Amino acid sequence: MARENGDGGTLFSVRMRAARGGPHEAGGRHVSGAERLLPEREVAAAVRSLVRRAQEHPLGAPDFIQVTVERVETEPVRIPGLPVTTVAASAPGEARRVAAVLLASAGVAPATAARAIEALAGGPGPGGGTMRGAMLMDAATGARLEPDPARGVRVTRVDVAPEARREVTRSLSRGRLIGTRVREALVLASKVAWAGALAELCWSDDPDYTTGYVASPAFGYVRLTHLKPRGTPLGGRVFFLPPGADPAPFVHRLEAVPVLLTGLGGVRPPVEASDFLKEIARDAAVSRA
Ligand code: WAQ
Ligand code: MG
């Protein structure tokens, strides 16, 4: 039975994926993807805008675009968004040091964090390409747990709640975070944290987008400038699971349970990487005391 959301209408999941050189499952390179969760009256406009986004992608025009529109049959879970911090790093070396420290503080073993960074830098897909979805890693052992290592796990059925959009846009633009990219990444990361990941690591496969992030329920969504070198077409996402966790229920939550963000956890002014590292060390000393 379809349920009404707070906005009075049935929700639809709208998903787009685009590839070049054939469909993904025939070996095409992933170009662009996106997911929305919307009231019915907004579906047609969203489809148009996602098709246009795929066609105008900086990685080059796709020759395969698939858009799926599907009614969501269950009531969405409403969750708050993660708080946002921006850490200004000077180069990938420094940004990745901060990422490693944050991942360790969230319970990811240092060797696992190093393996994740290497996988993203080298191309996480089989043969060193990109993936359409995310890798899953056991935080302790670094073992890859995604059922399909070529595709990865795709987070879908998530969006900002219609009634929270205005406030989310306002908070992000007050923090000088304009555009859909940051918002979509924050929405995704908030669902991943809610679903039970200890942490997430991400940077884009878009050659010119070099800011990435580490997120966790413990410290929120921490953006890191220069997490990847400019010009490389490799990137992706890693979701770290608690040691020994079964990936199946986690994947089910990410793909099948509809989630709406009810707001944002705050946006902090940017902080220099060196100051941020001191801050983390201080907090760690306090919690040990
Ligand atoms: N579920 C799982 N993995 C995904 C999804 C999804 N819905 N969407 C993208 N990915 C994976 C996939 O492997 C992509 O190749 C990779 O992530 C990168 O996707 O605060 O733009 O859309 O300034 O290129 C982060 C920082 C930007 C934003 C990330 O990723 C900020 C970005 P992209
Ligand atoms: Mg991309």
Side-chain angles (χ1 to χ4, degrees):
M1 187 191 69
R3 301 285 187 78
E4 302 286 297
N5 73 2
D7 198 43
T10 306
L11 289 173
F12 279 73
S13 164
V14 179
R15 310 192 285 279
M16 179 275 288
R17 63 184 174 107
R20 193 177 164 83
H24 301 83
E25 50 276 21
R29 188 220 194 273
H30 177 66
V31 169
S32 176
E35 25 282 311
R36 306 291 313 271
L37 185 61
L38 298 162
E40 184 167 18
R41 63 172 184 282
E42 294 179 342
V43 167
V47 169
R48 267 196 300 280
S49 122
L50 292 181
V51 170
R52 197 176 322 119
R53 186 201 295 196
Q55 290 173 325
E56 291 169 358
H57 202 276
L59 280 172
D63 48 39
F64 171 86
I65 304 174
Q66 177 174 295
V67 180
T68 304
V69 177
E70 197 175 2
R71 194 174 67 194
V72 165
E73 303 291 341
T74 51
E75 189 67 29
V77 177
R78 291 170 184 269
I79 66 166
L82 294 172
V84 179
T85 303
T86 299
V87 176
S90 51
E94 185 178 48
R96 289 175 191 182
R97 268 196 301 284
V98 177
V101 169
L102 283 171
L103 290 172
S105 82
V108 177
T112 300
R115 182 182 288 193
I117 290 170
E118 251 168 60
L120 289 192
T130 51
M131 293 161 78
R132 163 152 58 107
M135 289 175 263
L136 302 184
M137 270 190 193
D138 182 299
T141 64
R144 294 269 294 260
L145 302 172
E146 66 273 17
D148 176 350
R151 176 184 184 271
V153 174
R154 194 85 201 165
V155 181
T156 62
R157 295 174 176 79
V158 62
D159 214 320
V160 176
E163 68 277 10
R165 282 182 200 152
R166 196 196 286 269
E167 187 250 304
V168 166
T169 303
R170 200 182 296 140
S171 323
L172 287 175
S173 56
R174 256 196 239 115
R176 305 213 186 298
L177 301 172
I178 320 285
T180 53
R181 190 190 295 264
V182 178
R183 172 200 303 247
E184 288 180 356
L186 176 60
V187 165
L188 183 150
S190 298
K191 185 175 188 188
V192 170
W194 162 83
L198 287 181
E200 175 185 356
L201 169 70
C202 164
W203 68 77
S204 180
D205 52 357
D206 299 11
D208 290 328
Y209 201 83
T210 59
T211 299
Y213 68 86
V214 177
S216 105
F219 48 72
Y221 179 86
V222 180
R223 311 176 61 238
L224 294 158
T225 68
H226 300 292
L227 189 56
K228 78 169 211 175
R230 187 170 300 281
T232 60
L234 297 176
R237 284 180 154 92
V238 185
F239 305 154
F240 299 95
L241 290 186
D246 176 3
F250 177 70
V251 171
H252 172 79
R253 285 191 286 277
L254 292 181
E255 294 182 340
V257 178
V259 166
L260 289 174
L261 265 64
T262 54
L264 221 142
V267 180
R268 228 188 116 164
V271 49
E272 291 294 327
S274 51
D275 294 335
F276 188 69
L277 284 172
K278 282 181 214 147
E279 209 180 280
I280 299 175
R282 211 183 308 126
D283 292 351
V286 170
S287 66
R288 272 196 308 273

